[in-house]
Amino acid sequence: MTAHPSDPAVAAFVAAVNAGDKDAFFAALTDDATMSDDGTDRDLVAWAEREIFSSNGRMDVEDVSADGRTLTATYTNATWGSMRTRWAFTVTNGRISRFETGQG
């Protein structure tokens, strides 16, 4: 059963990832958004291109926190296959200003 994020910015992020829609993905983020992967800060634009867009990344959300800003998902892309991941989002003025992801 797929869960749906209740926070509108997080829901937009997930929808953009699953649609492979770069414009919608970056529209869900603040202009100065940052991110980390497995505890290491990454260049968000380069990471998104490599891990999402050029490798057909997809999120199957399994669990959502009460505030809608922390997810557990099976993340799949052509590079790494499928893995269980945790995603935590900071939302500022209706857009994501930071996200942290990693295997979990």
Side-chain angles (χ1 to χ4, degrees), residues 18-100:
N18 288 341
D21 186 335
K22 286 183 192 183
D23 291 337
F25 177 84
F26 288 107
L29 305 174
T30 62
D31 294 340
D32 60 350
T34 61
M35 60 87 54
S36 71
D37 185 3
D38 285 328
T40 302
D41 278 8
R42 308 285 184 184
D43 177 290
L44 192 152
V45 173
W47 182 90
E49 182 58 37
R50 181 179 64 252
E51 300 292 337
I52 300 171
F53 302 113
S54 68
S55 62
N56 194 30
R58 305 249 327 137
M59 297 174 75
D60 181 19
V61 178
E62 300 166 6
D63 188 56
V64 181
S65 65
D67 68 2
R69 294 184 178 176
T70 303
L71 313 175
T72 301
T74 298
Y75 188 77
T76 305
N77 71 21
T79 303
W80 305 108
S82 294
M83 66 189 82
R84 188 176 174 94
T85 55
R86 180 180 178 279
W87 300 75
F89 298 89
T90 302
V91 177
T92 305
N93 297 324
R95 294 171 70 199
I96 295 166
S97 56
R98 179 166 178 83
F99 67 92
E100 299 173 0

